[in-house]
Every structure is written in C-alpha cells, then in structure tokens.
Amino acid sequence: MSEMELYNLWLKNATNDPDLQAELTAIAGDGDAIRDRFYRELEFGTGGLRGVIGAGTNRMNIYTVRRATQGFADYLNQEYTNPSVAVSFDSRIKSDVFSKAAAEVLSANGIKVYIYNELMPTPCLSFAVRELKCQGGIMVTASHNPAKYNGYKVYGDDGCQITLRGAEIILEKINSLDIFNDVKTSSFEEEVAKGNICYIGQEVIEAFYDKVLAEGINTELCAGSGLKVVYTPLNGTGNKPVREILKRIGISNVTVVKEQENPDGNFPTCPYPNPEIREALEVGLKYCKEVQPDLLLATDPDCDRVGIAVPDGNGGYALFSGNEVGAMLLEYICQQRIKNGTMPENPVTIKTIVTTDIINLIGKEYGVEVIDVLTGFKFIGEQIKILEDKGEENRYIFGFEESYGYLSGTYVRDKDAVNASMLICEMASYYRTQGITLLQARENMYKKYGVFFQTLHSFTFEGESGMKKMNEIMNTLRNDPPAEIAGLKVVRFDDYKTSVSRDNLTGTETEITLPKSNVLAFFLEGGSKVIVRPSGTEPKIKTYFTSKMPTHEEAEALETKLSGELTKIFKKDQNVRFMSVHFL
C-alpha cells in the first residue's frame, strides 16, 4: 500500500485511541507528516521495538504494540506448552497503556501474564521472568531516549533479551500479520478477574532485594563510613528500589533531587534522560553545590544504567564515564574478593567489544579471564547462560558495557542499576574508610595501567533518507577501509558482518567467532582503536574512539585527530545531527 492508502486505513480502523484519531485528523493533507508516519513499519530489531510515540506504522502505539505481541505470542505457543510471560513498564508516556495492551493480547492467546502493578526497573522484569519461571518477558521502555520515544523489549525464558534466533522467528510471524485483522485481544479487567492476568506480589520484589544485597562484599562498612550521597532517578523507576537498597546497607545520608524524584514521562528538567550526558545531571549537580556530597548517583528511567559524579578537588564535580566506573568496580571486586577469600576458581569477567581495553590489564593482574562479546548486554547475559549450563555460573564475577550498564550477579540477565548503585556506594564507602576519594582511586588505577582516553560520537541521520545514508557510509568503510587514520597505520581491520579479521601487516585473515553484526573495528599502531556501528534501534551511527598514550594530554590530543577525520565523513550531509560523549 502507498502511504496515503495506509493513512486512510488507519483513519478508518485506529479508533480505540482518541489520541491517535486526533493526530491522524490533524495531519490530513500534510504529505510529509503522513509519509514520515507510514513510509515503513516500525522495525522489530534484535531486542524489540523502539520509536516515536504516535499514529502510524512507523510509530509506537497500541496497534504496533499489539501486532508485535501477537507475533511474540505465536512464537511462545509454538515453542512451549502453556507458556507464561512477565510484564513491566517504566515512567514513559503511555508505558502503562502499552503494557496493558500487551497483556491483553497475550491473555487472548491463552498465555498466562504476570504484571507489576506499578512501574518497575528493567532488571526487576528480568528477575521476575526467572523467579516466576516464565517463558518470556516484556519490558515497556525506551531506556534513556527523549520523551517523545517509547519502546518494547522482549525477553526469553532465561531472563535475557531474546536470542537472535528467537527475534528472527518473532519478526517472521509479525510480518505475516495484518495489524487490524490478525491480532487477538481481550479485556484487561476481565482477564484479571479470571486469574489469567496476575499482579506480581511484594514477595518477588523482596526476593530481588535479597539477591542484590547478596552481591555486597563489604557492606558492613557502609553505615559507619559517613558517605553522603545525592541521588536522582531522573523521573524514572529507580526511586523506590535504589533508595531501599541504600537504606538496607546503611547509607542513610541520601538527598533526593526533588525535581526528578517522581515518575514523569515528559522529563521536564531533563530533555535527554541519559546519565551518560552531563545535561541529565545538571539539576543534581546544583544540589551538589549546596549539599557537598561524596557522590552523585543518577539512574536512567528504566534503572538499568547509572552515572556518577564526584568532588574534583576544586569546588566542582567530575563526571566519571561508564568505562571508568566499570574498570574501578572490577578492580575493587577482584581486590576485595581475593582479600576476603571469596574469589572463585577461574573467575570470569565479560565486556562488550566497544568497552575499554584496560579491563584486559586488570584481568591479567588478578588472574581473571576476560570474555569479549558484541555490543548489547544480552550478549553478556548469553555468556552467563553458557556458564550456567556447564554448572559454572559462580565463575562470573562482573560484566559491564561502556554505556553505564553493570551487573555483578547471575540473578538477572540484564544490566542492573540497583545492583550497581549499591556496589558504587560500597566501593566509595570502603575507599572513604581508607582515606581515599573516588577521584584518587581513579588516578591510582591510571597510574597502574596507563591512560585509555575514550569517546563516543553519535551521528543521527534525519528523515526518510537517513537509513539509506547510514548504509552508504557503512558500505564505503567496509569495501574501501582506510589504510591509516590521523597518521596512524591501521594494523588490523575486523569486519563483524563478514566475520573476517585481517592483519594488514601480514595480510593474514582469521575468522571472528562472534555472531555476525554490522560492526567495523580499526586497530591502530600503538594500541589505539576506532569502532563504527549503526544503532540497532535508532537512525544513528555510533563511533567509539580509544586513544592510548602515556599522558592525558597526549591521549586527548590524539582523540581529537582521530575523531576529526571520521567526523568529516559523517557530516557531509546537512541532515546529520552530531553528539559527542567523552569517557576518559
């Protein structure tokens, strides 16, 4: 169908949501607005859906959610007998509406539904899948995206985001469905009355808290450490669980950022609620000027990521990157578990390929095996499952990705900012009792292992032509890779889509054993690196730069040269928006 034909079809059939009808009526005669909403179907990627909230096939609404859920239900009924699904949602606009819509479709397909009766973090969804022995899970969230977005993550029976195989089958089933005629649905209230939809009780939440607390190493030090914390949940789901866990380990001096305390999908003081971005922490940093805490904690709306800032020694606060916090947590865990005699034999840590290589040096220092996986915490979860299947899950001590996601236990299979907030506060408390600030601990780490300066540059490609432009850039880099970047030779080129790693010095090619993915990695002389990949959920190309040099100044100068060359390529098109995040 043409965009106009689809528009008219929706105008006639999308009658269950007055907001959608109002939007469709408002864009009548606006060809560009109609085209943008109907030129494609919202893509069901490897993790689920994510898009702008609104009317149309290219938007998040009850109809696209129902259709995706019907495909998921068909998959579950094909793979399992009497399957059940856990459902959760965050504070975003219509998250509660979409979660109920998904529950209604699942129940109409004979699938038992367990749903939280209030917004809960992503890790609590992963935990509920495992705790209630469900065969699947749905988390309604767009993580840290702006307010106009919402999304829908699908989980498998291990509490990990759905496998590549599962996602392919679900997508095939979704594509066979007519959005208005092939989707079964039911009444939420009637299904609750029948017992087909059940609310998840407090006992599951308490079991989650117990598992988080069990990951503590020196939590007994926290109450007497005098640690002072400012915390912001960024108007999301972290407010209750993070504060409860900090209370239970004895961190009582916690000041909550009032403007960002309560759930609000409009994020009025934080247009981009991503703790990777300084803008998201600005209100919290203003609190820090008055409160003068040892630590600022910020969790994103679905509470699977956490960012921090610490006193910089000059009256201000320094933001730490996800790479820095993850590396510091790994070293802390290794040191203290060895000291306490709780380090397992043949310990394992898992990181993504775009995460700092300082982890390899820390692993070598403490005898920890480092496993690299593709970008996305689901691949860390899959490795935990592999260990579990061999009866070796106790070998896993920590996993993290550079985008502020951490996990130290196997009780969930996604990143957990509740767990990470506890560990960060415990680590800060421990160092405080030793007379060491987190800033000093970071500098000690870099003195020991060297300086790894890292940045992420994101390039957003606007409009209908955005995806085409992204593909052209990736194809050019893949088929005609540069021999050098910023004057440094490319000594190795890895193409994760073709599974080929080429040593440019010898011409030797070896196979990459990770799953195929549209990722390119350029290894430079001297240990620096550039990784390029398109986002799986947004019209973005993400470029990760690592500059390894003896000093901070030299590393920053090299990063400027490296990023400058790639930026020229990406910004040739005027419809490209640019954003940079510095990691250090």
Side-chain angles (χ1 to χ4, degrees):
M1 286 188 186
S2 68
E3 288 92 346
M4 186 56 66
E5 287 173 327
L6 284 168
Y7 167 75
N8 288 324
L9 182 67
W10 276 63
L11 196 60
K12 178 182 178 181
N13 291 281
T15 57
N16 295 127
D17 187 333
D19 291 341
L20 298 187
Q21 277 295 307
E23 181 180 344
L24 290 167
T25 302
I27 64 173
D30 187 338
D32 289 339
I34 291 172
R35 189 175 302 110
D36 186 48
R37 287 164 175 77
F38 291 98
Y39 82 92
R40 68 166 189 162
E41 293 181 348
L42 193 64
E43 182 179 358
F44 185 91
T46 56
L49 300 173
R50 184 176 299 179
V52 174
I53 303 165
T57 57
N58 189 33
R59 292 291 189 267
M60 281 291 297
N61 51 66
I62 58 171
Y63 298 100
T64 52
V65 166
R66 285 173 177 173
R67 183 177 185 232
T69 307
Q70 183 65 54
F72 186 33
D74 290 343
Y75 162 79
L76 290 170
N77 281 325
Q78 171 184 292
E79 300 288 324
Y80 302 96
T81 302
N82 299 321
S84 61
V85 172
V87 178
S88 185
F89 58 95
D90 69 2
S91 61
R92 289 185 171 273
I93 297 168
K94 291 189 179 291
S95 279
D96 56 341
V97 174
F98 295 159
S99 67
K100 286 186 176 181
E104 289 170 339
V105 172
L106 291 168
S107 186
N109 282 273
I111 296 172
K112 179 89 171 185
V113 178
Y114 299 94
I115 188 170
Y116 284 106
N117 62 4
E118 63 177 330
L119 71 171
M120 293 294 287
T122 287
C124 291
L125 182 278
S126 176
F127 181 78
V129 171
R130 296 176 60 78
E131 182 73 4
L132 298 172
K133 296 179 173 55
C134 295
Q135 285 66 53
I138 294 172
M139 178 71 198
V140 180
T141 178
S143 189
H144 54 279
N145 286 85
K148 68 179 182 179
Y149 285 87
N150 210 328
Y152 171 107
K153 295 180 181 177
V154 176
Y155 288 75
D157 59 7
D158 59 349
C160 185
Q161 286 191 49
I162 199 75
T163 63
L164 294 175
R165 172 188 171 274
E168 289 173 358
I169 297 174
I170 294 169
L171 177 58
E172 182 180 343
K173 292 186 178 298
I174 291 172
N175 288 340
S176 69
L177 298 170
D178 180 274
I179 199 166
F180 294 117
N181 297 318
D182 295 338
V183 178
K184 299 177 184 178
T185 189
S186 59
S187 164
F188 185 87
E189 291 74 18
E190 290 180 7
E191 295 299 328
V192 170
K194 294 176 183 176
N196 297 327
I197 297 176
C198 299
Y199 287 110
I200 297 173
Q202 185 63 31
E203 69 278 3
V204 174
I205 298 173
E206 286 296 327
F208 172 77
Y209 289 159
D210 288 344
K211 292 294 186 180
V212 172
L213 292 167
E215 291 302 312
I217 302 172
N218 295 310
T219 50
E220 72 280 357
L221 298 175
C222 294
S225 69
L227 190 74
K228 187 187 296 187
V229 177
V230 167
Y231 171 58
T232 171
L234 297 179
N235 301 117
T237 60
N239 186 37
K240 287 185 178 181
V242 170
R243 292 171 69 178
E244 182 63 28
I245 287 296
L246 295 187
K247 176 183 175 182
R248 294 191 186 191
I249 66 171
I251 304 293
S252 57
N253 195 342
V254 179
T255 301
V256 180
V257 177
K258 291 298 180 184
E259 297 89 334
Q260 299 172 340
E261 178 179 5
N262 295 320
D264 189 339
N266 292 299
F267 309 115
T269 62
C270 182
Y272 204 93
N274 181 353
E276 298 177 69
I277 310 299
R278 186 179 184 91
E279 179 186 17
L281 307 186
E282 287 295 349
V283 179
L285 289 169
K286 290 179 182 177
Y287 272 66
C288 290
K289 291 180 180 179
E290 179 180 346
V291 177
Q292 293 294 302
D294 302 290
L295 179 66
L296 167 66
L297 278 178
T299 54
D300 69 341
D302 66 324
C303 197
D304 62 354
R305 304 170 192 247
V306 57
I308 73 169
V310 303
D312 64 6
N314 297 311
Y317 280 75
L319 276 62
F320 278 19
S321 73
N323 278 319
E324 290 173 328
V325 173
M328 292 172 67
L329 283 173
L330 177 62
E331 179 144 69
Y332 172 75
I333 290 168
C334 289
Q335 286 178 342
Q336 298 306 306
R337 291 193 67 169
I338 289 173
K339 177 183 175 182
N340 295 346
T342 59
M343 182 69 101
E345 292 186 14
N346 305 314
V348 168
T349 187
I350 308 169
K351 73 176 187 69
T352 63
I353 58 175
V354 298
T355 298
T356 177
D357 290 335
I358 200 172
I359 297 304
N360 297 321
L361 301 180
I362 296 173
K364 184 177 180 181
E365 173 75 9
Y366 296 100
V368 177
E369 179 185 352
V370 179
I371 297 176
D372 277 300
V373 297
L374 293 177
T375 305
F377 216 89
K378 62 182 293 180
F379 296 109
I380 294 176
E382 285 180 0
Q383 289 297 317
I384 297 174
K385 178 67 161 57
I386 290 172
L387 291 171
E388 182 181 51
D389 288 343
K390 295 190 293 185
E392 299 176 358
E393 64 267 29
N394 67 315
R395 292 176 57 200
Y396 172 83
I397 60 169
F398 192 58
F400 84 102
E401 56 188 3
E402 101 298 333
S403 55
Y404 293 62
Y406 321 95
L407 177 66
S408 69
T410 62
Y411 58 97
V412 297
R413 298 298 160 83
D414 212 334
K415 45 192 177 285
D416 182 2
V418 183
N419 165 253
S421 294
M422 182 192 75
L423 289 176
I424 290 167
C425 288
E426 181 194 303
M427 177 174 67
S429 297
Y430 171 80
Y431 283 132
R432 200 174 195 278
T433 64
Q434 304 298 306
I436 300 171
T437 66
L438 284 179
L439 193 70
Q440 290 169 330
R442 183 184 72 174
E443 294 310 305
N444 291 341
M445 179 180 69
Y446 279 121
K447 286 178 182 178
K448 184 176 181 180
Y449 299 110
V451 176
F452 289 73
F453 186 80
Q454 296 182 292
T455 59
L456 164 62
H457 291 204
S458 291
F459 301 86
T460 300
F461 295 81
E462 303 283 8
E464 184 178 349
S465 63
M467 298 299 289
K468 180 179 178 182
K469 181 66 178 177
M470 287 172 54
N471 291 332
E472 289 174 355
I473 289 174
M474 292 301 295
N475 288 336
T476 298
L477 290 173
R478 172 171 286 110
N479 298 324
D480 187 21
E484 63 176 44
I485 302 175
L488 295 177
K489 292 181 180 178
V490 178
V491 296
R492 190 176 112 204
F493 172 57
D494 285 2
D495 185 343
Y496 289 84
K497 189 173 184 178
T498 62
S499 299
V500 174
S501 174
R502 184 173 69 241
D503 186 324
N504 288 342
L505 299 179
T506 65
T508 304
E509 293 187 350
T510 56
E511 181 184 3
I512 298 172
T513 58
L514 295 177
K516 293 182 183 297
S517 183
N518 193 9
V519 180
L520 303 174
F522 304 88
F523 296 81
L524 310 178
E525 57 184 330
S528 296
K529 184 167 61 175
V530 178
I531 296 180
V532 183
R533 73 174 184 92
S535 170
T537 55
E538 305 166 83
K540 287 182 180 179
I541 286 182
K542 296 185 176 183
T543 309
Y544 304 80
F545 298 92
T546 298
S547 54
K548 184 177 182 296
M549 297 293 282
T551 67
H552 289 295
E553 293 75 18
E554 289 173 300
E556 288 191 49
L558 176 57
E559 188 281 334
T560 299
K561 293 180 180 178
L562 294 173
S563 60
E565 287 205 11
L566 271 294
T567 299
K568 289 178 184 177
I569 296 174
F570 295 147
K571 294 187 73 176
K572 287 180 181 179
D573 191 311
Q574 62 180 355
N575 291 323
V576 177
R577 287 191 293 109
F578 167 73
M579 182 179 69
S580 176
V581 181
H582 284 70
F583 289 155
L584 197 73

